[in-house]
Amino acid sequence: MRVVVLTGAGISAESGVPTFRDADGLWEGHRVEDVATPEAFERDPDTVHRFYDARRAHLSTVEPNAAHRALAGLERDGRHRLLVVTQNVDDLHERAGSRDVVHMHGELLSARCLACDGRFRSDAPLVDRPRCPGCGERALRPDIVWFGELPYELDRIQSALERADLFVSIGTSGAVYPAAGFVSAARAYGARTVELNLEPSHGTDLFHDARHGPAGTVVPSWAAGLTPTG
Ligand code: APR
């Protein structure tokens, strides 16, 4: 089977990476519009850099969990063709061993240059304004897709959804488009659709099947029971 897996913050929650939509509406103490929009970056780049620098530094203190490992195992065992499309900007899928991963909302361990538009692997704090390795300008920004910006690799995702036999959504609230629309697209193209989330997401009724519980438990058990036809 061709399997497209969409992941969100919930898959990394048990690793200790906070999700976005906490009950108080704040994201690690910040309003989203103060740190995750191009306008916020223009207005106050130091605050935005410090916010992402701290999240990048936090990555070295967390590890992939059983859900990341179960997806990597599915890809490795080769019975199915797996593409992981993640909204997450952490590197936990890769550290668990997944190879085919699309970071549609960018990556903490990447920086983008506003002068030459290059994208570079980088774990340096950007608040220090390091030079761009490509053009030498001090014009790097976090390689994060902010609200109002276009996610990466939408063409590749679209064609994977068109060909998918199975679409699985893991640990995402279904609140942010275009990712929240992938289930309907996959269904329209004929895929079976499964939701694995702590609780019913906004779009839970759009799925053929839903299993609710912590990803570290639900994902390995779903993966272990996956038959040749889903
Ligand atoms: N296991 C499974 N699901 C969990 C767990 C867990 N242990 N903990 C929380 N969840 C679920 C929550 O119930 C919620 O439905 O994960 C979901 C997380 O939702 P959000 O915080 O909204 O994260 P996400 O869907 O990834 O957000 C999408 O919004 O802010 C933007 O760009 C950002 O990529 C992000 C996008």
Side-chain angles (χ1 to χ4, degrees):
M1 280 191 305
R2 289 175 187 270
V3 185
V4 176
V5 179
L6 172 69
T7 66
I11 197 169
S12 296
E14 287 154 82
S15 294
V17 181
T19 58
F20 296 94
R21 290 174 179 76
D22 286 332
D24 61 5
L26 294 180
W27 178 18
E28 296 185 21
H30 294 266
R31 294 184 315 156
V32 161
E33 52 275 35
D34 290 339
V35 287
T37 64
E39 294 75 21
F41 185 63
E42 245 171 64
R43 206 168 43 235
D44 186 357
D46 280 1
T47 295
V48 174
H49 277 316
R50 275 195 214 98
F51 177 74
Y52 288 100
D53 286 351
R55 297 187 67 213
R56 188 180 311 103
H58 181 64
L59 279 187
S60 62
T61 70
V62 300
E63 296 290 337
N65 65 52
H68 299 102
R69 289 195 295 271
L71 294 180
L74 265 189
E75 181 181 355
R76 203 167 37 237
D77 90 9
R79 276 181 302 154
H80 304 292
R81 198 70 189 272
L82 207 77
L83 174 67
V84 174
V85 177
T86 188
Q87 300 168 88
N88 298 343
V89 294
D90 64 51
D91 62 344
L92 295 180
H93 283 303
E94 287 87 348
R95 279 159 59 190
S98 286
R99 296 275 162 266
D100 215 358
V101 183
V102 172
H103 281 273
M104 64 180 290
H105 289 168
E107 289 179 76
L108 284 169
L109 291 171
S110 173
R112 207 176 101 202
C113 180
L114 290 166
C116 70
D117 211 31
R119 298 172 71 196
F120 305 93
R121 304 304 299 167
S122 171
D123 57 7
L126 296 183
V127 75
D128 298 339
R129 305 299 195 278
R131 289 187 188 278
C132 168
C135 71
E137 292 292 324
R138 296 188 188 276
L140 295 175
R141 61 161 267 184
D143 193 5
I144 303 289
V145 176
W146 287 323
F147 285 94
E149 298 184 317
L150 202 60
Y152 288 123
E153 299 199 58
L154 287 179
D155 289 348
R156 180 166 176 219
I157 296 168
Q158 172 70 22
S159 54
L161 293 173
E162 286 174 17
R163 294 195 309 258
D165 302 299
L166 179 62
F167 172 81
V168 188
S169 173
I170 303 174
T172 175
S173 58
V176 174
Y177 283 81
F182 292 169
V183 55
S184 304
R187 250 189 113 132
Y189 291 117
R192 239 182 80 68
T193 55
V194 179
E195 167 170 282
L196 307 175
N197 203 49
L198 188 61
E199 58 196 359
S201 72
H202 292 287
T204 193
D205 293 342
L206 301 168
F207 292 85
H208 292 108
D209 187 14
R211 300 184 198 178
H212 296 128
T217 308
V218 173
V219 176
S221 105
W222 163 81
L226 193 60
T227 64
T229 57

